[in-house]
């Protein structure tokens, strides 16, 4: 085995090619248009509304509620400021994520240039990123994921720059970016660890950077310690990651790659899948061919650009470490948490595709990618449904009467419904109280589970006190929440079922007391719902 030789790319100026600049700016504009279009066309889903609810509180209230949310506070603080300025409508809140998502694309361009100094690689990486439905999804979601991807890449780019150029300002910028990444999402630690691994691999070439790098790492550790302690005390082992996240499965690896490539929406029988897979295969095979053809240095050593080492660390460790941990403790979801290091994928693929010769063959590869990307964008804008909550809330509004009682099971399905239906007259949650029932409306500060017997008594009380009352059950169709199915079975046995509807993961059923009965069930002692 030949030893690894890492080298810097040559210095070049990308501003001297006007055609290159025009195409690059055009790709940035395309990324902006795609991420800023139709921000309000999709309904909120529960995590988005819950995030808005968290961000509406004071800093102390945000920290209190984050004991159950399993996230650091930076994004919520930014969202708090943003919603004070622009409101909480879908377009307003998602615009913040769209800005972060758009800024990621120019950063990919600058990062690719910094790593490789190749115009073709920059254009390919930028185009792959601009058209990617996976990143587009998180750029249009009121969550912290687009900010997380942006800050993780910024940390890597600033680290590369600090290693190359030094300077107290460069190292301070790297440390600040790393801390911002860590305070955006707990998965930020995997991105920062990947950046640190890259630095350790190349420090032998940057001996003058050993001391400032060590000092930066120490400052990052000290700055992260308060949140790390908070996370260990309140979030590790939290119910927020129990049940619905599976243990590691080998198929998570190809699933993650499909998400990264923006091909996850296609089945094996889809003609649109194979052009995209062919592009990925070409991007990974071409560098191998070049390596065996002319990729060795004069001493016979394998030659790798330093930027390539950085990106391999970013994607390999950033996605590989949580997968490895998930062998024992389930923490990884390919379609969500892998976004932390997604930015490395289009940069790696762009570098690989730029190795393809001759130009007509590269042109065919680009056309193949455009076919898959176009189909993916059509799926995202025309077919994909983020959540049915807004539609379901509208149907409930049409049917709801003033004496009706709404029961949410699981209880957190009511978070989104209460955003779209603030006029719900009476509501209950199961297997825990709905947030609207709790004085502080906080799952963490006052988690209040209730038994099925207690819930049925409360429903009986409601029926007795209101002659025209009906029960509206909003049930989440989740296999890892068996309490909802248990409740529905009990209601079917106890009351008279009426109309029902289902939209995606939500089912709405109406129940009435049995015909001819003034009440239902035994005498109740529990207090009726508010």
């Amino acid at each position: 085995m030949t030893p690894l030789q890492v080298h810097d790319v040559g210095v070049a100026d990308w501003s001297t090619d006007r055609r290159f600049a025009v195409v690059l700016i055009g790709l940035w504009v395309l990324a902006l248009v795609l991420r800023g279009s139709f921000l309000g066309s999709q309904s909120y889903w529960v995590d988005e509304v819950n995030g808005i609810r968290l961000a509406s509180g004071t800093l102390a209230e945000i920290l209190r509620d984050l004991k159950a949310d399993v996230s650091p506070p930076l994004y919520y603080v930014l969202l708090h400021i943003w919603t004070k300025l622009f409101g909480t409508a879908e377009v307003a809140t998602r615009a913040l994520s769209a800005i972060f998502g758009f800024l990621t694309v120019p950063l990919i361009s600058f990062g690719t240039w910094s790593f490789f100094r190749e115009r073709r690689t920059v254009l390919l990486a930028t185009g792959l990123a601009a058209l990617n439905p996976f990143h587009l999804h998180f750029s249009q979601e009121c969550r912290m994921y687009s900010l997380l991807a942006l800050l993780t890449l910024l940390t890597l780019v600033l680290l590369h720059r600090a290693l190359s150029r030094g300077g107290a300002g460069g190292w301070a910028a790297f440390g600040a970016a790393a801390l911002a990444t860590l305070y955006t999402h707990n998965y930020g630690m995997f991105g920062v660890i990947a950046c640190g691994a890259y630095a350790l691999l190349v420090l032998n070439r940057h001996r003058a950077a050993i001391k400032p790098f060590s000092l930066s790492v120490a400052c990052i550790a000290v700055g992260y310690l308060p949140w790390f302690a908070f996370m260990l005390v309140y979030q590790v082992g939290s119910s927020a990651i129990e049940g619905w996240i599976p243990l590691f499965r080998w198929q998570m690896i190809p699933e993650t790659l499909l998400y990264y490539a923006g091909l996850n929406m296609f089945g094996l029988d889809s003609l649109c899948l194979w052009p995209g897979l062919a592009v990925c295969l070409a991007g990974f095979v071409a560098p191998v061919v070049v390596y065996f053809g002319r990729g060795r240095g004069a001493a016979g050593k394998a030659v790798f650009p330093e930027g390539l080492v950085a990106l391999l660390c970013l994607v390999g460790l950033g996605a590989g470490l949580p997968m490895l941990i998930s062998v024992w403790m389930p923490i990884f979801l390919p379609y969500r948490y892998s976004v932390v290091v997604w930015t490395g994928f289009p940069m790696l693929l762009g570098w690989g595709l730029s190795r393809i010769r001759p130009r007509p063959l590269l042109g065919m590869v680009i056309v193949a990618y455009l076919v898959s990307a176009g189909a993916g964008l059509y799926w995202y804008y025309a077919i994909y449904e983020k959540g049915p909550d807004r539609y379901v809330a509208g149907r409930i509004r049409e049917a709801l009467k003033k004496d009706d009682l709404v029961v949410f099971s699981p209880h957190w399905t009511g978070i989104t419904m209460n955003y779209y239906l603030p006029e719900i007259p009476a509501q209950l949650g199961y297997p825990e109280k709905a947030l609207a029932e709790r004085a502080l409306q906080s799952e963490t500060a006052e988690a209040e589970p209730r038994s099925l017997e207690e819930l049925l008594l409360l429903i009986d009380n409601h029926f007795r006190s209101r002659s025209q009352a009906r029960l509206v059950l909003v049930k989440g169709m989740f296999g890892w929440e068996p309490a909802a199915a248990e409740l529905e079975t009990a209601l079917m046995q106890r009351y008279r079922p009426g109309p029902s509807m289902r939209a995606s993961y939500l089912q709405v059923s109406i129940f009435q007391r049995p015909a001819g009965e003034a009440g239902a069930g035994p005498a109740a002692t529990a207090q009726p719902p508010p």
Side-chain angles (χ1 to χ4, degrees):
M1 178 180 297
T2 58
L4 173 67
Q5 178 182 347
V6 179
H7 71 90
D8 278 328
V9 293
V11 177
D13 182 7
W14 75 348
S15 64
T16 57
D17 189 332
R18 180 172 297 180
R19 289 180 302 174
F20 166 77
V22 169
V23 174
L24 185 62
I25 293 173
L27 291 174
W28 293 347
V29 172
L30 176 62
L32 176 62
V33 170
L34 290 176
R35 282 149 184 80
S37 300
F38 308 108
L39 290 174
S41 63
Q42 294 274 5
S43 166
Y44 280 137
W45 67 292
V46 63
D47 278 10
E48 291 182 288
V49 175
N50 196 46
I52 295 170
R53 184 184 62 83
L54 288 174
S56 66
T58 63
L59 179 59
E61 291 169 339
I62 290 174
L63 290 174
R64 179 199 69 195
D65 286 346
L66 287 181
K67 294 176 183 178
D69 189 76
V70 197
S71 298
L74 178 59
Y75 172 76
Y76 294 112
V77 172
L78 295 176
L79 185 61
H80 174 88
I81 298 171
W82 185 266
T83 54
K84 291 296 183 183
L85 295 174
F86 302 106
T88 61
E90 290 95 337
V91 174
T93 59
R94 288 173 179 164
L96 181 61
S97 296
I99 291 171
F100 296 140
F102 161 68
L103 292 176
T104 301
V105 178
L107 183 59
I108 285 175
S109 304
F110 286 112
T112 305
W113 180 258
S114 177
F115 291 151
F116 303 115
R117 292 292 197 275
E118 298 171 353
R119 293 185 179 90
R120 179 182 295 187
T121 302
V122 170
L123 292 179
L124 288 170
T126 305
L128 291 167
L131 296 171
N132 187 278
F134 178 67
H135 185 249
L136 178 60
H137 167 87
F138 290 107
S139 299
Q140 295 195 323
E141 183 166 281
C142 182
R143 295 291 287 161
M144 71 288 293
Y145 299 111
S146 64
L147 175 61
L148 176 65
L150 172 67
L151 289 175
T152 303
L153 179 59
L154 181 63
T155 301
L156 183 65
V157 172
L158 290 175
L159 174 59
H160 176 75
R161 184 181 181 89
L163 287 169
S164 303
R165 301 187 180 185
W171 287 107
F174 156 67
L179 272 177
T181 303
L182 293 169
Y183 275 88
T184 297
H185 194 281
N186 290 333
Y187 264 69
M189 71 174 65
F190 298 116
V192 173
I193 289 172
C195 293
Y198 151 66
L200 292 176
L201 285 175
V202 300
L203 270 179
N204 64 318
R205 299 190 62 257
H206 304 280
R207 295 191 181 277
I210 294 177
K211 183 177 180 179
F213 172 72
S214 302
L215 181 60
S216 296
V217 170
C219 292
I220 292 169
V222 171
Y224 185 54
L225 185 60
W227 180 257
F228 186 72
F230 182 96
M231 180 180 64
L232 289 180
V233 172
Y234 296 109
Q235 295 184 343
V236 173
S238 166
S239 60
I241 61 172
E242 289 179 0
W244 58 281
I245 299 182
L247 286 168
F248 173 78
R249 306 183 305 257
W250 285 107
Q251 56 264 41
M252 284 183 175
I253 298 176
E255 284 175 2
T256 300
L257 293 175
L258 285 176
Y259 278 107
Y260 279 180
L263 301 173
N264 56 286
M265 73 290 296
F266 302 125
L268 293 177
D269 58 345
S270 173
L271 294 178
C272 297
L273 172 68
W274 301 104
L277 286 180
V279 172
C280 294
L281 182 63
F284 292 123
V285 169
V288 177
V289 174
V290 171
Y291 164 73
F292 282 107
R294 59 178 185 276
R296 291 176 177 269
K301 298 178 180 180
V303 177
F304 288 92
E306 189 173 304
L308 183 61
V309 177
L311 294 177
L312 288 174
C313 286
L314 180 68
V315 176
L317 285 177
L321 279 178
M323 287 189 194
L324 181 62
I325 294 173
S326 288
V327 173
W328 299 277
M329 180 172 131
I331 64 169
F332 183 74
L333 286 175
Y335 67 85
R336 185 182 304 175
Y337 300 139
S338 64
V339 74
V340 60
V341 295
W342 165 83
T343 51
F345 182 84
M347 299 168 77
L348 282 172
L349 188 58
W351 180 81
L353 292 175
S354 68
R355 268 62 218 152
I356 294 178
R357 303 291 189 275
R359 284 190 176 184
L361 180 59
L362 178 59
M364 293 174 60
V365 170
I366 292 175
V367 170
Y369 175 74
L370 291 175
V371 169
S372 286
L377 292 174
Y378 173 79
W379 170 85
Y380 177 77
Y381 286 117
I383 300 174
Y384 170 68
E385 181 183 44
K386 188 183 294 288
D389 302 66
R390 186 168 61 191
Y391 168 75
V392 170
R395 294 294 301 272
I396 293 175
R397 180 183 289 108
E398 294 172 358
L400 198 64
K401 300 178 181 179
K402 66 176 182 178
D403 288 337
D404 288 346
L405 169 65
V406 182
V407 176
F408 297 107
S409 185
H411 63 283
W412 46 261
T413 56
I415 294 175
T416 314
M417 291 295 107
N418 275 276
Y419 174 84
Y420 287 116
L421 280 175
E423 66 271 20
I424 294 177
Q427 59 182 284
L428 298 168
Y430 179 76
E432 293 188 29
K433 287 186 177 181
L435 294 188
E437 297 181 75
R438 308 177 190 186
L440 298 178
Q441 297 192 11
S442 166
E443 288 188 85
T444 304
E446 46 184 349
E448 299 184 35
R450 61 165 35 115
S451 66
L452 180 59
E453 291 74 18
E454 176 192 351
L455 177 67
L456 293 175
L457 288 175
L458 289 169
I459 294 173
D460 287 344
N461 269 350
H462 186 83
F463 274 134
R464 285 190 174 87
S465 62
R466 296 166 176 82
S467 60
Q468 300 299 318
R470 302 176 304 168
L471 170 63
V472 180
L473 173 64
V474 181
K475 172 189 171 187
M477 309 292 286
F478 308 104
W480 39 270
E481 285 280 9
E486 176 190 28
L487 171 60
E488 183 180 33
T489 299
L491 294 177
M492 293 288 289
Q493 296 171 351
R494 194 176 182 91
Y495 305 108
R496 181 160 53 93
S500 66
M501 61 157 287
R502 179 175 178 178
S504 185
Y505 52 76
L506 289 178
Q507 176 181 299
V508 180
S509 304
I510 296 179
F511 293 87
Q512 298 173 326
R513 64 166 57 97
E517 294 188 16
T525 58
Q527 294 297 316

